[in-house]
Amino acid sequence: MHHHAALVGVALLNNLASGFSISPTSISLPTQMAAFQRVGDSSVKNIVLFQNKQQQMFASPLAVRGGALGASTAIGSTSDNGDSVEKDLNLSVGNVLASLWGASGVAYILIKAIVRVLPIALEPFSKADGVVALTNFQLSSYILTCLFFAYAEGYKGFQLKFSPLVVARSFTLQPKSSPIHHLLLAPLYSMGLFHATKKRMIVSWCVTIGVATIVAAVKRMPYPWRNIVDAGVVVGLSWGTISILGGYIISLLTGIAPIGVDPAMPEKKETDAK
């Protein structure tokens, strides 16, 4: 019974880890089959056979096209010079420092924005003179806005898309082969603002300009609606910061690049032409 529980636990942990951008499973099929012979549990066998099928689906090479995956799912990444590399990361001191600067630099930008906006978001709850308490409707709007930003910006925008991209691109930085400006501007590089596919750069710059425009518009909103929107922004940015740092730490500890994530590197012939 203990053997059954252990194998089920390994299977569930592997599935959970796969969902957070690391390798589907590292247990070989022969080892799994030997475990079946000892345990003889058909339900556990079905779980690992499903994992093996999942592993075969991830076995195709990385398709680096237009910032999005094609029909095949990626298990690898690409180096900064455009060449395909294996999913196992080269965690030399130089590579780790370069990737750390890229990922943590983006996190620092987000944290700086949070620190600037947080006092405004909390202003309705302060006891300072002249602060008008929120009505029930406004308080409900405050809560719903935070929930909306948590899902739309934090989960859908950051955790599922932007954060894995930042982590994946940060690990393509290699001091021995990456141009010096890629290393110096590693946070901007990790965000896909340059040296990326044309589609990725267009999306990244449009999002950046769009956010700046929205911020300027929000500043003109009256109290307490500016505070309410800023509260949602704080929640979304906080979620994004945690997902970037969490994803980076997981890849660093496992030595495996985020799977199913296209770092949107420009095609090699496109890079050579430049």
Side-chain angles (χ1 to χ4, degrees):
M1 191 66 184
H2 292 294
H3 293 291
H4 296 204
L7 286 177
V8 172
V10 169
L12 293 177
L13 285 175
N14 280 332
N15 277 323
L16 177 61
S18 301
F20 207 92
S21 302
I22 59 175
S23 177
T25 179
S26 58
I27 303 175
S28 63
L29 184 59
T31 303
Q32 295 168 345
M33 296 306 297
F36 297 148
Q37 294 174 0
R38 292 195 303 269
V39 176
D41 190 333
S42 60
S43 62
V44 179
K45 181 176 181 179
N46 289 336
I47 292 175
V48 184
L49 286 178
F50 172 76
Q51 286 185 325
N52 185 58
K53 184 178 179 181
Q54 215 178 20
Q55 187 176 15
Q56 292 175 354
M57 291 173 62
F58 283 110
S60 57
L62 177 65
V64 184
R65 298 292 185 272
L69 290 174
S72 60
T73 306
I75 60 171
S77 182
T78 56
S79 63
D80 194 16
N81 58 15
D83 296 329
S84 177
V85 296
E86 296 298 329
K87 63 183 180 180
D88 292 334
L89 299 172
N90 177 11
L91 297 179
S92 64
V93 175
N95 290 354
V96 169
L97 291 177
S99 64
L100 179 62
W101 165 226
S104 63
V106 177
Y108 171 75
I109 294 173
L110 299 180
I111 292 173
K112 193 173 180 180
I114 293 170
V115 171
R116 186 172 63 251
V117 176
L118 184 59
I120 301 174
L122 297 179
E123 182 183 0
F125 305 103
S126 68
K127 297 181 180 180
D129 294 336
V131 175
V132 180
L134 299 178
T135 65
N136 290 335
F137 174 74
Q138 292 169 343
L139 181 60
S140 299
S141 300
Y142 192 103
I143 296 172
L144 290 176
T145 300
C146 290
L147 292 175
F148 172 78
F149 273 83
Y151 177 76
E153 183 183 7
Y155 177 69
K156 296 281 287 186
F158 276 104
Q159 185 172 332
L160 296 185
K161 296 178 181 179
F162 184 72
S163 299
L165 172 74
V166 168
V167 175
R169 285 182 63 85
S170 71
F171 279 110
T172 64
L173 291 166
Q174 300 175 1
K176 292 184 179 180
S177 58
S178 299
I180 185 65
H181 66 285
H182 290 189
L183 299 174
L184 293 176
L185 303 176
L188 303 182
Y189 168 90
S190 299
M191 294 169 64
L193 293 176
F194 69 94
H195 193 70
T197 59
K198 184 179 294 185
K199 178 180 178 180
R200 180 67 258 172
M201 287 192 292
I202 290 174
V203 170
S204 295
W205 279 105
C206 285
V207 169
T208 302
I209 295 173
V211 168
T213 302
I214 293 174
V215 168
V218 169
K219 286 183 178 180
R220 298 177 179 272
M221 296 176 67
Y223 177 90
W225 302 110
R226 176 188 176 182
N227 310 73
I228 291 173
V229 173
D230 282 343
V233 171
V234 169
V235 172
L237 294 182
S238 299
W239 193 307
T241 303
I242 294 172
S243 63
I244 289 174
L245 296 178
Y248 179 82
I249 291 172
I250 286 177
S251 289
L252 190 63
L253 293 178
T254 60
I256 301 173
I259 62 168
V261 179
D262 182 359
M265 305 296 293
E267 297 183 15
K268 193 172 182 180
K269 61 180 181 180
E270 186 178 313
T271 305
D272 293 341
K274 293 180 182 180

